[in-house]
Amino acid sequence: MQAVILAAGESSRFWPLNYQHKSLLKIMGRPLIWYTIKSLKKAGIKDIIVVQGPKKDIEEELKNYDLGVDIKYVIQPEPKGMGNALFQAKNLLQEQFFVLNAERFDGGDYIQPILKKQKSSKKAKLLLVGAKTDNPQLYGILDLEGDRVKNLIEKPEKGKELSDIKVVGIYFLPKEFLDYYQRIPEHMYAYEDALSLYMKEKEVRVVIAEKELSSFKYPWHLFEVTKTLMDQYLTPKIAKTAIISKNVIIDNNVYIDENTKIYEGAVIKGPCYIGENCLIGNNSLIREYTNLENNVLIGAFAEVTRSIFQEDIHIHSGYFGDSIFGRGCRLGAGNITANVRIDRGEIKSIVKGKKIGTGLDSLGVIMGENSKTGIHCSFMPGVLIGSNCNIGPETVVFENIEDNTNFYTKFKGIKRKL
């Protein structure tokens, strides 16, 4: 069996964490694509094609791991959609193959159900995985007759949905699908149009997952992915070279890697992952599905809960709840991330100029890489901060801040750029 992993898109809806392909974000010391490959290997697939962007960052990262599979890499020169990405691999494809997105870490779980479904419906050469959703307006939705797929409708208007089953990014395709793709004018959603064309002319079947699968369209979806991965893979450990001072409390499922130092009075309440060469200051509290990658510094008297830190991040005293920080960020003392609305309602965020409901009632700040803040900065729930930003002291951030911005709040609430 063969699988094609698509890892070349620009992930524009994943801003501000799209400074790299979103499958390279790390959880428990491994990029998300590592978990996808691990899942495929467990299902028996060792022939894998990875479609990556011209930076070759996927290939560069995966060189660091012994994956035990045969990986071939191809380049998609420009982000022109899934169909164009798949077409780059045409010379390497078998007669039938699986296709999935790089962050679909549970993809291997559906290999055998797909093959079983194909065996029971011998005419179907194209099969896909669907799952129920409460928000069909956000996804590609299937028009079904039993388990036969008649059509695919992208983001149907409310009240015009033909079902509540969304596509989840796992496909079993025949090589002849590329002929249908070539009949479609090239555009960003030509892959989906080719699927619709194939459905009209040939038999397509769906395997419906028993539960709604994790999405990975917006950056806050990383919280659910992290929880799922920690529940599945995290095991308690304290490395021999870790230095744990007196009066430190470590409770529940906590992983502490090599050369990490935890100073007096700190409390770690799992599930939590703490990577290599980290430092947890005196009397700090780390709790509940917090993920700290290598070289993270948490200063004294800080509280970090349900948050995700990429590599080389330094923070000092303050509160950091339900937040995500890209690699290399520096936050001054006394920073606060507000993570709950005053009315306790759903938190909404602005993505590509549109207000999007996150489905969450707890969400702090999401910050790109290499951004810096002064002392006593505050962030309102659901605010997105770009990469390479400088935010002045005592700033209160109510709105998104674009990449490469110097920003502060003047007294009396007047916002100005430096």
Side-chain angles (χ1 to χ4, degrees), residues 47-261:
D47 179 3
I48 294 174
I49 301 168
V50 174
V51 184
Q52 61 181 337
K55 293 193 300 183
K56 300 183 179 180
D57 49 355
I58 303 291
E59 183 176 359
E60 192 63 30
E61 176 64 31
L62 291 180
K63 284 180 180 178
N64 298 318
Y65 308 98
D66 182 11
L67 294 163
V69 297
D70 178 26
I71 302 180
K72 300 179 181 68
Y73 295 94
V74 296
I75 303 295
Q76 184 185 27
E78 299 177 51
K80 293 183 177 180
M82 289 178 60
N84 181 268
L86 178 61
F87 197 72
Q88 309 307 313
K90 63 183 183 301
N91 295 330
L92 299 174
L93 297 175
Q94 299 175 2
E95 286 306 308
Q96 281 202 291
F97 50 90
F98 292 91
V99 176
L100 67 164
N101 295 324
E103 67 281 357
R104 194 75 263 173
F105 62 88
D106 53 0
D109 297 343
Y110 298 92
I111 301 302
Q112 291 305 320
I114 288 173
L115 296 175
K116 183 178 179 180
K117 174 73 71 172
Q118 186 185 45
K119 189 174 181 179
S120 66
S121 54
K122 296 179 181 179
K123 291 183 180 180
K125 292 184 178 180
L126 195 159
L127 299 95
L128 49 82
V129 177
K132 286 189 176 183
T133 178
D134 296 327
N135 299 292
Q137 298 78 31
L138 300 178
Y139 304 100
I141 298 299
L142 300 177
D143 181 8
L144 298 175
E145 185 179 281
D147 67 347
R148 182 168 182 172
V149 185
K150 298 192 295 181
N151 201 1
L152 169 64
I153 296 91
E154 275 294 318
K155 301 180 182 68
E157 295 181 22
K158 192 169 185 178
K160 296 184 178 180
E161 311 91 345
L162 296 175
S163 77
D164 60 352
I165 303 299
K166 66 177 180 178
V167 290
V168 297
I170 305 170
Y171 308 88
F172 190 43
L173 303 181
K175 195 170 183 179
E176 67 176 355
F177 174 77
L178 295 180
D179 298 331
Y180 287 78
Y181 169 73
Q182 289 183 285
R183 290 165 58 184
I184 302 294
E186 187 173 278
H187 64 101
M188 188 59 68
Y189 296 103
Y191 179 87
E192 289 79 3
D193 286 352
L195 283 174
S196 294
L197 179 60
Y198 191 100
M199 291 166 183
K200 293 174 183 177
E201 298 185 7
K202 296 201 173 183
E203 185 174 317
V204 176
R205 298 285 175 173
V206 61
V207 173
I208 299 178
E210 295 181 358
K211 60 181 180 179
E212 183 170 358
L213 301 185
S214 299
S215 297
F216 208 61
K217 181 175 291 189
Y218 299 108
W220 51 84
H221 289 154
L222 190 59
F223 293 111
E224 183 180 359
V225 169
T226 298
K227 183 178 185 302
T228 300
L229 288 175
M230 282 194 176
D231 287 343
Q232 184 174 351
Y233 289 108
L234 186 65
T235 55
K237 171 188 171 180
I238 299 177
K240 291 182 179 180
T241 57
I243 298 174
I244 311 298
S245 300
K246 294 180 180 179
N247 303 322
V248 169
I249 296 174
I250 299 175
D251 184 31
N252 204 354
N253 188 6
V254 176
Y255 183 103
I256 300 172
D257 216 333
E258 304 291 340
N259 301 310
T260 284
K261 299 177 182 179

Side-chain angles (χ1 to χ4, degrees), residues 298-318:
I298 306 294
F301 299 99
E303 180 178 354
V304 181
T305 181
R306 297 181 301 275
S307 291
I308 301 164
F309 288 57
Q310 295 299 289
E311 304 100 321
D312 190 34
I313 296 170
H314 294 188
I315 67 170
H316 296 278
S317 60

